[in-house]
Amino acid sequence: MEPLRTLLFVPGNRLNMIEKARHLPADVLVLDLEDSVPSLEKASARAQVRDSLAGLAPERRGGEKVKQKWRKVFVRINSLASGLAQEDLESVITPGIHGISQPKPSSARDVTEVAAIITRLERERGVAAGHVKLLPWVETAKGLLHAFEIASASPRVVGISFGAEDFTLDTGMMRTEEGSELLYPRTMVVIAAKAADVIAVDTPYNNFRDEAGLINEARLARRLGFEGKFLIHPSQIEPVNCIFCPSPEEVAHARRVVAAFEAAAAQGFASTSLDGKMIDIPIANRARKLLMVADSIARREKGR
Ligand code: COA
Ligand code: MG
């Protein structure tokens, strides 16, 4: 799976924002039909999102200079419990879409139900089988207890997202700025994602005028093993893209670690030292993993 560092929510009822989003450097645009759209506008937003999809995928922009060839377009549908999910899917499963963000699944069954509807619609609409990916949210107490099953419910699932606002609402936790109450669920989401071999995406940072706060939270998420973060405002894209991309210093250090380890291995040793610190197999493999992420981001950005 390609790195998905920044996933920008765009309310499905705000045509000016959808239009603006076309030119923004987020890895994923997530057109929202759920909580940013009021009940009375659900039907009109659905139609608007459907009509906008074809123009958002960069490869479909005739003639215009394409900036982010890798950019993906997802739609967040309403939950199954709302009774709106089926109609949302009927409307938006078209060749222009890469994935569906599914809110509030309680169990694997909720995910397989959505996956089955997508399978039928792909067939009916001439979309390649398996093209539409799934990014379920873990944002309820039941969802967290079933996070691994949710993450492994279907081959369409490419990641799971932690949703802090609904999670604190559902569990009665107090939501704080420093967020210590979220350490356990965040960590569980990452562990469940890794056990299922998918990525973990962190919750949005709502205080969108506070760049220092955003950077702190995104750094914490990266330290915990998240590979990307949902965003709500264009100003959040650049700092978060930067945090989820290994820095030049990290890349240089990882190269030195791998070189030192390989030199030791060539002499028959499985451990060595660098700058007074021990290096062994997992440390070398962690460095190799970081280099792979850096390389895959650099390669796709060069291919602009
Ligand atoms: N996507 C695309 N464009 C956006 C955007 C978004 N998520 N958020 C803001 N913009 C645009 C604005 O329309 C404005 O465009 P303009 O300069 O052409 O008028 C520009 O970026 C600057 O916006 P700003 O004035 O700073 O903010 P705002 O008051 O217009 O909007 C929010 C603030 C929070 C209402 C808005 O960012 C938003 O709706 N975010 C998404 C919320 C959401 O999806 N929530 C559900 C998930 S939890
Ligand atoms: Mg939510």
Side-chain angles (χ1 to χ4, degrees):
M1 187 65 201
E2 280 196 46
L4 304 179
R5 301 165 297 172
T6 43
L7 300 90
L8 177 70
F9 268 126
V10 188
N13 59 336
R14 307 284 288 268
L15 194 54
N16 63 324
M17 290 191 186
I18 297 178
E19 196 45 45
K20 189 173 183 92
R22 186 190 291 274
H23 306 288
L24 295 172
D27 287 348
V28 187
L29 299 177
V30 185
L31 304 187
D32 188 27
L33 296 175
E34 200 214 15
D35 284 351
S36 68
V37 177
S39 306
L40 285 175
E41 292 184 34
K42 294 286 187 194
S44 55
R46 198 184 272 147
Q48 188 159 282
V49 163
R50 180 199 57 216
D51 295 344
S52 307
L53 283 171
L56 287 174
E59 65 268 27
R60 306 189 145 257
R61 267 186 258 148
E64 209 177 314
K65 187 161 180 273
V66 173
K67 285 215 187 97
Q68 300 97 24
K69 280 198 197 125
W70 65 86
R71 211 242 316 280
K72 305 276 186 257
V73 183
F74 278 50
V75 172
R76 180 167 72 169
I77 57 170
N78 289 280
S79 68
L80 283 170
S82 73
L84 299 170
Q86 167 120 12
E87 270 181 278
D88 290 344
L89 290 166
E90 297 275 352
S91 180
V92 302
I93 300 296
T94 57
I97 195 177
H98 298 102
I100 291 292
S101 161
Q102 181 185 358
K104 305 183 183 74
S106 302
S107 64
R109 180 121 61 91
D110 287 346
V111 178
T112 51
E113 192 174 329
V114 164
I117 300 172
I118 295 175
T119 299
R120 171 175 62 77
L121 290 169
E122 278 178 344
R123 210 167 36 231
E124 288 173 11
R125 312 240 164 121
V127 179
H131 169 77
V132 179
K133 306 302 180 209
L134 272 171
L135 192 58
W137 287 79
V138 172
E139 53 181 347
T140 62
K142 277 194 179 138
L144 186 67
L145 290 175
H146 296 127
F148 171 68
E149 288 82 353
I150 287 171
S152 33
S154 157
R156 292 184 190 277
V157 176
V158 290
I160 50 176
S161 312
F162 175 57
E165 303 306 335
D166 278 299
F167 187 79
T168 47
L169 170 68
D170 193 45
T171 54
M173 281 181 181
M174 302 263 288
R175 180 85 160 93
T176 66
E177 170 67 22
E178 47 88 30
S180 56
E181 71 284 1
L182 301 180
L183 184 59
Y184 175 75
R186 274 196 168 114
T187 304
M188 281 305 297
V189 167
V190 171
I191 292 171
K194 300 300 143 156
D197 201 20
V198 299
I199 67 166
V201 180
D202 193 33
T203 197
Y205 184 70
N206 291 336
N207 198 355
F208 64 89
R209 304 265 182 241
D210 178 1
E211 186 175 302
L214 170 73
I215 288 174
N216 268 341
E217 191 171 278
R219 286 201 177 123
L220 168 70
R222 187 175 161 207
R223 285 201 301 275
L224 292 176
F226 285 96
E227 282 153 80
K229 192 166 173 65
F230 266 90
L231 313 177
I232 53 161
H233 191 275
S235 64
Q236 298 181 320
I237 299 172
E238 297 233 16
V240 176
N241 264 342
C242 203
I243 286 165
F244 284 102
C245 182
S247 67
E249 296 74 30
E250 285 173 308
V251 169
H253 183 255
R255 286 209 179 104
R256 289 180 64 224
V257 168
V258 172
F261 182 78
E262 283 173 358
Q267 295 180 10
F269 301 116
S271 64
T272 183
S273 73
L274 181 70
D275 305 335
K277 288 186 191 142
M278 189 268 289
I279 294 171
D280 65 358
I281 292 172
I283 294 169
N285 284 345
R286 226 159 53 209
R288 288 188 179 115
K289 224 167 162 178
L290 183 136
L291 292 174
M292 271 167 53
V293 172
D295 187 51
S296 106
I297 294 171
R299 258 188 296 120
R300 79 181 183 183
E301 295 197 349
K302 250 192 233 143
R304 275 175 185 204

